[in-house]
mmCIF file of all heavy atoms in Angstrom:
data_model
loop_
_atom_site.group_PDB
_atom_site.id
_atom_site.type_symbol
_atom_site.label_atom_id
_atom_site.label_comp_id
_atom_site.label_asym_id
_atom_site.label_seq_id
_atom_site.Cartn_x
_atom_site.Cartn_y
_atom_site.Cartn_z
ATOM 1 N N GLU A 133 -10.662 8.422 19.639
ATOM 2 C CA GLU A 133 -10.210 7.088 20.079
ATOM 3 C C GLU A 133 -10.528 6.033 19.020
ATOM 4 O O GLU A 133 -9.710 5.190 18.679
ATOM 5 C CB GLU A 133 -10.983 6.760 21.348
ATOM 6 C CG GLU A 133 -10.225 6.030 22.417
ATOM 7 C CD GLU A 133 -11.180 5.832 23.589
ATOM 8 O OE1 GLU A 133 -11.265 6.755 24.422
ATOM 9 O OE2 GLU A 133 -11.862 4.779 23.630
ATOM 10 N N MET A 134 -11.749 6.122 18.507
ATOM 11 C CA MET A 134 -12.203 5.149 17.504
ATOM 12 C C MET A 134 -11.378 5.271 16.225
ATOM 13 O O MET A 134 -10.908 4.269 15.670
ATOM 14 C CB MET A 134 -13.686 5.400 17.221
ATOM 15 C CG MET A 134 -14.315 4.417 16.295
ATOM 16 S SD MET A 134 -16.096 4.749 16.173
ATOM 17 C CE MET A 134 -16.540 3.393 15.087
ATOM 18 N N ILE A 135 -11.192 6.502 15.758
ATOM 19 C CA ILE A 135 -10.428 6.717 14.526
ATOM 20 C C ILE A 135 -8.989 6.255 14.722
ATOM 21 O O ILE A 135 -8.425 5.545 13.869
ATOM 22 C CB ILE A 135 -10.485 8.203 14.088
ATOM 23 C CG1 ILE A 135 -11.906 8.569 13.653
ATOM 24 C CG2 ILE A 135 -9.491 8.478 12.962
ATOM 25 C CD1 ILE A 135 -12.119 10.036 13.306
ATOM 26 N N GLU A 136 -8.397 6.601 15.861
ATOM 27 C CA GLU A 136 -6.997 6.218 16.108
ATOM 28 C C GLU A 136 -6.838 4.702 16.112
ATOM 29 O O GLU A 136 -5.944 4.144 15.461
ATOM 30 C CB GLU A 136 -6.530 6.791 17.449
ATOM 31 C CG GLU A 136 -5.070 6.467 17.730
ATOM 32 C CD GLU A 136 -4.621 6.979 19.085
ATOM 33 O OE1 GLU A 136 -5.358 6.782 20.081
ATOM 34 O OE2 GLU A 136 -3.538 7.567 19.147
ATOM 35 N N SER A 137 -7.733 4.031 16.838
ATOM 36 C CA SER A 137 -7.649 2.577 16.941
ATOM 37 C C SER A 137 -7.766 1.926 15.552
ATOM 38 O O SER A 137 -7.006 1.011 15.202
ATOM 39 C CB SER A 137 -8.772 2.103 17.877
ATOM 40 O OG SER A 137 -8.967 0.740 17.745
ATOM 41 N N CYS A 138 -8.709 2.389 14.755
ATOM 42 C CA CYS A 138 -8.925 1.813 13.419
ATOM 43 C C CYS A 138 -7.761 2.127 12.473
ATOM 44 O O CYS A 138 -7.363 1.277 11.667
ATOM 45 C CB CYS A 138 -10.239 2.312 12.824
ATOM 46 S SG CYS A 138 -11.702 1.743 13.695
ATOM 47 N N VAL A 139 -7.230 3.338 12.563
ATOM 48 C CA VAL A 139 -6.109 3.706 11.684
ATOM 49 C C VAL A 139 -4.885 2.850 12.018
ATOM 50 O O VAL A 139 -4.187 2.367 11.115
ATOM 51 C CB VAL A 139 -5.793 5.225 11.787
ATOM 52 C CG1 VAL A 139 -4.446 5.554 11.149
ATOM 53 C CG2 VAL A 139 -6.898 6.036 11.128
ATOM 54 N N ILE A 140 -4.640 2.634 13.306
ATOM 55 C CA ILE A 140 -3.505 1.783 13.710
ATOM 56 C C ILE A 140 -3.679 0.381 13.114
ATOM 57 O O ILE A 140 -2.756 -0.197 12.536
ATOM 58 C CB ILE A 140 -3.384 1.727 15.253
ATOM 59 C CG1 ILE A 140 -2.894 3.072 15.784
ATOM 60 C CG2 ILE A 140 -2.457 0.597 15.694
ATOM 61 C CD1 ILE A 140 -2.959 3.229 17.297
ATOM 62 N N GLN A 141 -4.888 -0.149 13.246
ATOM 63 C CA GLN A 141 -5.161 -1.505 12.739
ATOM 64 C C GLN A 141 -5.043 -1.559 11.213
ATOM 65 O O GLN A 141 -4.450 -2.487 10.658
ATOM 66 C CB GLN A 141 -6.562 -1.932 13.195
ATOM 67 C CG GLN A 141 -6.937 -3.347 12.822
ATOM 68 C CD GLN A 141 -6.014 -4.380 13.441
ATOM 69 O OE1 GLN A 141 -5.416 -4.154 14.493
ATOM 70 N NE2 GLN A 141 -5.850 -5.518 12.774
ATOM 71 N N LEU A 142 -5.588 -0.549 10.554
ATOM 72 C CA LEU A 142 -5.518 -0.481 9.086
ATOM 73 C C LEU A 142 -4.056 -0.488 8.623
ATOM 74 O O LEU A 142 -3.684 -1.227 7.708
ATOM 75 C CB LEU A 142 -6.215 0.804 8.622
ATOM 76 C CG LEU A 142 -6.318 1.125 7.134
ATOM 77 C CD1 LEU A 142 -7.466 2.113 6.934
ATOM 78 C CD2 LEU A 142 -5.074 1.707 6.538
ATOM 79 N N LEU A 143 -3.236 0.329 9.270
ATOM 80 C CA LEU A 143 -1.827 0.404 8.860
ATOM 81 C C LEU A 143 -1.123 -0.922 9.130
ATOM 82 O O LEU A 143 -0.322 -1.378 8.325
ATOM 83 C CB LEU A 143 -1.117 1.563 9.571
ATOM 84 C CG LEU A 143 -1.556 2.954 9.099
ATOM 85 C CD1 LEU A 143 -0.931 4.042 9.970
ATOM 86 C CD2 LEU A 143 -1.183 3.191 7.631
ATOM 87 N N LYS A 144 -1.455 -1.546 10.255
ATOM 88 C CA LYS A 144 -0.872 -2.859 10.561
ATOM 89 C C LYS A 144 -1.175 -3.859 9.472
ATOM 90 O O LYS A 144 -0.333 -4.622 9.020
ATOM 91 C CB LYS A 144 -1.477 -3.391 11.877
ATOM 92 C CG LYS A 144 -0.591 -3.237 13.069
ATOM 93 C CD LYS A 144 -1.166 -4.023 14.234
ATOM 94 C CE LYS A 144 -0.692 -3.406 15.523
ATOM 95 N NZ LYS A 144 -1.608 -3.609 16.645
#
Side-chain angles (χ1 to χ4, degrees):
E133 218 179 274
M134 184 175 182
I135 292 175
E136 182 183 46
S137 165
C138 293
V139 166
I140 289 170
Q141 184 61 27
L142 181 159
L143 290 173
K144 258 191 206 152

